[in-house]
Amino acid sequence: MPNRVYLDHAATSPIYAEVIEAMAKQMAVVGNASSLHTSGRNARSVVEEARERIAAALGARPSEVIFTSGGTEGDNLAIKGTYRATRRIDAARDRLVVSGIEHHAVLDAVEALVATEDARVTWVEPDGDGVVTADAVRTALEADGGAGTAALVSVMWANNEVGTVQPIAEIGAVCAEFGIPFHTDAVQAVGHLGVDFGASGATMLALSGHKVGGPQGVGALLLARDARLDPLTHGGGQERQVRSGTLDVAGILGLAEAVEKSCATREGEAARLAKLRDRLVEGALALDLGVSVSGYYEEGDVERRLPGNAHLRVPGCDGDSMLYLLDAAGVECSTGSACQAGVPRPSHVLLAMGIPEEQARGALRLTLGHTSTDDDVDAFLRELPAVAERARRAQEATRKVS
Ligand code: PLP
């Protein structure tokens, strides 16, 4: 296959070579981390060392690291587990306070509790920049029966579509004031922003290996020692009885390597990626296609928007058409929004930010990471005018027919 230009690091980022090497070596070694013999104890020490490395990189205590199969499981465990444990003790706490820009791993877990376990939800909407303020969280906590009816607050650390970073420490302080558990989905934040679990005020934090140069299918939930949470899986009682199941020793080792490396190289990488991102954005804006940028954006910024995230809207074009045309030209990216049951829908994130549906349909998400170069940005900017022109013609033709 000829060289492809990969601008979809938010979907999954290439695995680091040293992670593959470490995992391959570990995979060749037998050992269940729960076994008591020498091979089992050796596997256990790999797991415990990985736990310590992840904790050290993210400002957590080793005992707060619960290994999972990734971000989706971590989010589900945090939300369903906390809701069930809280409600069992205090039936009046039937309400989830959740931002309207969450990933479906959070949204659908919440909707499932509403549909089957009588949960209520108060949505916290972002401002036009895609930011969920601490004041908005406070207002939502005080609404719908007051904070005494809340079981959980969930606000993501950084948004996976538009890359906006949320004021997590401020939201954590509001949750602490009301004594409400606070979950944050930090899947897009870890390795790209300074993430300190202890300082964040979060009770639970989900992360995922494949977004930080680690393996797919492994992640962790950082869980405060005093958190009350019902397990979703029952069995061998691994991971503080919260997440039963034989541990993926090689995957966990790979996760630790990747978290450690992405955190250690973060500052230099953030500056490098922000430069590439800015060149991509400025280049697209200069193309005379009427492009606009979604979410808070300021040249050089590495704190309020993910350094590697560019989210563009091209008027008169359908995002999916542009995605396929770019793919045919060798450039891989995303529209940012999920296509449900084959029907492309405008992103709930853009709609929540007040972007009109017509504009939200022309969304393209370009996300950069550790393998990205100037050549990738050049290739995208070279292809975009012709792609937009063809997508626009296709859109006009569809309009005439319908
Ligand atoms: N949360 C966010 C913000 C994400 O971007 C993703 C993946 O795209 C997930 C959760 C799901 O993580 P995983 O793929 O590890 O299940």
Side-chain angles (χ1 to χ4, degrees):
M1 201 162 62
N3 265 355
R4 316 252 334 141
V5 172
Y6 189 73
L7 293 172
D8 202 12
H9 285 255
T12 198
S13 203
I15 190 164
Y16 291 125
E18 51 269 58
V19 171
I20 299 177
E21 202 181 316
M23 287 179 68
K25 267 195 205 145
Q26 186 58 42
M27 275 176 181
V29 181
V30 71
N32 182 324
S34 297
S35 296
L36 298 179
H37 48 59
T38 303
S39 297
R41 292 200 309 275
N42 288 343
R44 169 60 58 188
S45 60
V46 171
V47 168
E48 294 314 319
E49 209 175 289
R51 202 187 300 283
E52 282 167 22
R53 290 165 71 187
I54 291 167
L58 300 176
R61 286 183 281 185
S63 59
E64 292 174 323
V65 179
I66 304 289
F67 291 113
T68 65
S69 63
T72 302
E73 186 188 341
D75 288 338
N76 271 265
L77 179 56
I79 288 163
K80 294 177 183 165
T82 304
Y83 174 77
R84 289 174 187 160
T86 306
R87 209 127 189 229
R88 203 160 25 74
I89 292 160
D90 182 354
R93 292 193 182 272
D94 64 346
R95 199 162 61 90
L96 304 161
V97 174
V98 184
S99 101
I101 58 167
E102 295 298 305
H103 187 273
H104 277 281
V106 168
L107 291 184
D108 292 16
V110 168
E111 297 288 8
L113 291 176
V114 171
T116 60
E117 298 182 37
D118 297 327
R120 294 186 297 141
V121 54
T122 304
W123 296 109
V124 194
E125 296 306 342
D127 64 17
D129 277 341
V131 177
V132 176
T133 64
D135 277 348
V137 171
R138 177 185 294 281
T139 304
L141 268 172
E142 287 171 341
D144 298 339
T149 64
L152 171 92
V153 168
S154 182
V155 179
M156 69 203 318
W157 198 300
N159 181 262
N160 50 298
E161 292 188 31
V162 296
T164 47
V165 180
Q166 308 305 329
I168 290 302
E170 289 173 31
I171 295 170
V174 171
C175 294
E177 187 185 319
F178 289 100
I180 310 294
F182 173 34
H183 162 253
T184 184
D185 173 340
V187 166
Q188 296 289 342
V190 169
H192 300 279
L193 303 167
V195 170
D196 185 321
F197 181 60
S200 71
T203 322
M204 291 157 283
L205 179 153
L207 66 122
S208 175
H210 70 115
K211 312 288 184 174
V212 294
Q216 297 177 336
V218 62
L221 181 70
L222 305 185
L223 179 67
R225 289 296 312 177
D226 57 357
R228 257 197 321 250
L229 183 146
D230 281 1
L232 303 187
T233 52
H234 299 86
Q238 289 90 344
E239 302 299 275
R240 283 167 54 189
Q241 306 272 348
V242 163
R243 200 269 187 176
S244 282
T246 298
L247 293 170
D248 172 2
V249 181
I252 286 168
L253 173 62
L255 176 69
E257 293 272 347
V259 166
E260 207 167 61
K261 175 160 178 167
S262 59
C263 290
T265 54
R266 182 182 67 78
E267 285 185 24
E269 267 299 273
R272 188 185 77 84
L273 292 182
K275 264 198 196 132
L276 288 178
R277 174 200 67 192
D278 292 347
R279 208 160 72 67
L280 188 152
V281 169
E282 304 304 330
L285 292 176
L287 281 175
D288 208 19
L289 296 169
V291 167
S292 31
V293 185
S294 318
Y296 172 84
Y297 174 67
E298 197 184 315
E299 204 181 323
D301 172 79
V302 292
E303 283 174 5
R304 294 180 61 191
R305 183 186 189 107
L306 288 171
N309 174 293
H311 190 285
L312 309 175
R313 303 192 309 278
V314 189
C317 298
D318 176 63
D320 283 325
S321 307
M322 289 190 285
L323 185 155
Y324 289 122
L325 289 163
L326 281 165
D327 187 45
V331 178
E332 298 181 339
C333 65
S334 147
T335 61
S337 73
C339 165
Q340 285 177 340
V343 183
R345 291 184 205 283
S347 142
H348 66 279
V349 174
L350 299 184
L351 297 182
M353 287 164 60
I355 292 172
E357 191 166 326
E358 187 60 26
Q359 282 191 35
R361 289 189 186 279
L364 267 191
R365 180 188 73 175
L366 299 312
T367 48
L368 305 148
H370 66 97
T371 57
S372 302
T373 62
D374 276 309
D375 288 349
D376 296 335
V377 173
D378 290 340
F380 169 71
L381 292 175
R382 201 168 49 238
E383 298 299 338
L384 185 59
V387 161
E389 169 63 23
R390 283 185 66 188
R392 210 165 266 168
R393 272 192 271 127
Q395 179 94 325
E396 277 162 17
T398 317
R399 272 217 191 98
K400 277 184 195 146
V401 173
S402 57

